[in-house]
């Protein structure tokens, strides 16, 4: 069967993602139990719970990062715009262009600040003005004023808070419809945390 791009179908008005009767396991250990929730479009949704309750697992299910985890499995249904994201015809690469991810620990590429932003856009076929996209993305993550004169420096040379905002800029450069953030401020200072909260 030929792979087809993830297309929009009907969904509840304003609901971008729906999770229905989802259970998840790592090997024999169940980590999610009959989870049901809806996530609205154009809104900030917080998932709150104690350590180990399955928050990260849920995020990884939403853009199919759990596919890479040996022994991980899921039952239930996750839809985006009414379409099952686990349907056999769904292209995972297309889904991940639509659903970006920012991890708890900053993970910039071992490339320049500029290339950290340009890389994802380039491999996803961006044909516009790359300089403008890089600037726009860095402005969107409140990082432009701090790095505009050192775009060729390594992304790894930035502080922890700056690296996290660089990763956010990298995520928004491909213009995803959804950005998942896994405790993006947990290890940051109050000023960096405020800037990321303002960005959200």
């Amino acid at each position: 069967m030929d792979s087809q791009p993830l297309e929009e179908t009907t969904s509840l008005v304003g609901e971008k993602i729906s999770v229905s009767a989802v259970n998840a396991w790592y090997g024999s250990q169940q980590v999610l139990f009959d989870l049901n929730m809806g996530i609205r479009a154009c809104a900030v949704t917080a998932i709150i719970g104690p350590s180990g309750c399955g928050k990260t697992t849920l995020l990884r299910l939403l853009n199919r990062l759990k596919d890479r985890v040996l022994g991980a499995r899921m039952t239930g249904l996750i839809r985006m715009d009414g379409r099952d994201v686990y349907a056999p015809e769904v292209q995972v690469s297309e889904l991940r262009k639509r659903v970006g991810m920012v991890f708890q620990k900053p993970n910039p590429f071992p490339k320049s600040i500029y290339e950290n932003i340009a890389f994802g856009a380039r491999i996803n076929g961006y044909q516009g003005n790359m300089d403008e996209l890089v600037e726009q993305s860095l402005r969107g993550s409140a990082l432009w004023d701090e790095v505009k004169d050192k775009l060729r420096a390594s992304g790894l040379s930035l502080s922890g808070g700056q690296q996290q905002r660089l990763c956010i800029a990298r995520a928004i450069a491909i213009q995803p419809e959804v950005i998942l953030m896994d405790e993006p401020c947990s290890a940051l200072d109050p000023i960096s945390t405020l800037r990321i909260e303002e960005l959200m």
Side-chain angles (χ1 to χ4, degrees):
M1 178 184 297
D2 291 335
S3 293
Q4 299 296 323
L6 189 67
E7 297 172 351
E8 293 188 7
T9 58
T10 32
S11 61
L12 296 176
V13 174
E15 189 170 87
K16 188 69 176 175
I17 297 173
S18 66
V19 176
S20 304
V22 166
N23 296 274
W25 294 262
Y26 292 109
S28 61
Q29 181 181 5
Q30 187 169 359
V31 292
L32 291 178
F33 297 82
D34 198 31
L35 182 63
N36 297 280
M37 66 182 297
I39 300 173
R40 293 179 56 83
C42 303
V44 175
T45 300
I47 301 170
I48 301 171
S51 180
C53 73
K55 302 182 298 294
T56 296
T57 295
L58 174 61
L59 294 180
R60 288 175 177 269
L61 290 173
L62 297 180
N63 74 346
R64 295 187 54 175
L65 280 176
K66 75 93 187 160
D67 291 7
R68 301 182 178 201
V69 179
L70 187 64
R73 61 189 179 91
M74 181 201 87
T75 61
L77 187 60
I78 297 176
R79 295 185 183 96
M80 181 173 174
D81 294 323
R83 181 80 176 273
D84 178 6
V85 301
Y86 283 85
E89 68 273 12
V90 169
Q91 294 178 357
V92 177
S93 59
E94 181 71 18
L95 172 66
R96 291 185 185 145
K97 280 195 286 187
R98 298 180 68 194
V99 184
M101 181 85 176
V102 176
F103 297 93
Q104 182 176 6
K105 183 179 178 181
N107 60 344
F109 299 145
K111 298 176 179 290
S112 70
I113 294 167
Y114 185 99
E115 282 301 316
N116 262 273
I117 308 301
F119 181 77
R122 193 176 290 121
I123 65 172
N124 282 298
Y126 181 73
Q127 298 293 320
N129 185 311
M130 191 64 74
D131 291 347
E132 289 181 2
L133 179 68
V134 169
E135 179 177 345
Q136 179 184 18
S137 301
L138 289 169
R139 285 187 183 279
S141 65
L143 189 57
W144 173 253
D145 289 337
E146 298 167 44
V147 302
K148 63 184 178 183
D149 296 323
K150 53 180 180 179
L151 294 177
R152 301 300 171 186
S154 171
L156 298 172
S157 69
L158 300 174
S159 71
Q162 289 174 323
Q163 286 186 19
Q164 189 67 300
R165 284 183 282 143
L166 177 63
C167 293
I168 293 171
R170 185 177 68 198
I172 64 179
I174 61 172
Q175 301 177 333
E177 298 167 35
V178 175
I179 298 180
L180 307 174
M181 295 185 176
D182 188 0
E183 299 186 46
C185 303
S186 64
L188 301 185
D189 61 88
I191 293 174
S192 295
T193 296
L194 179 61
R195 286 177 175 167
I196 290 174
E197 289 175 349
E198 288 172 345
L199 168 65
M200 292 178 193

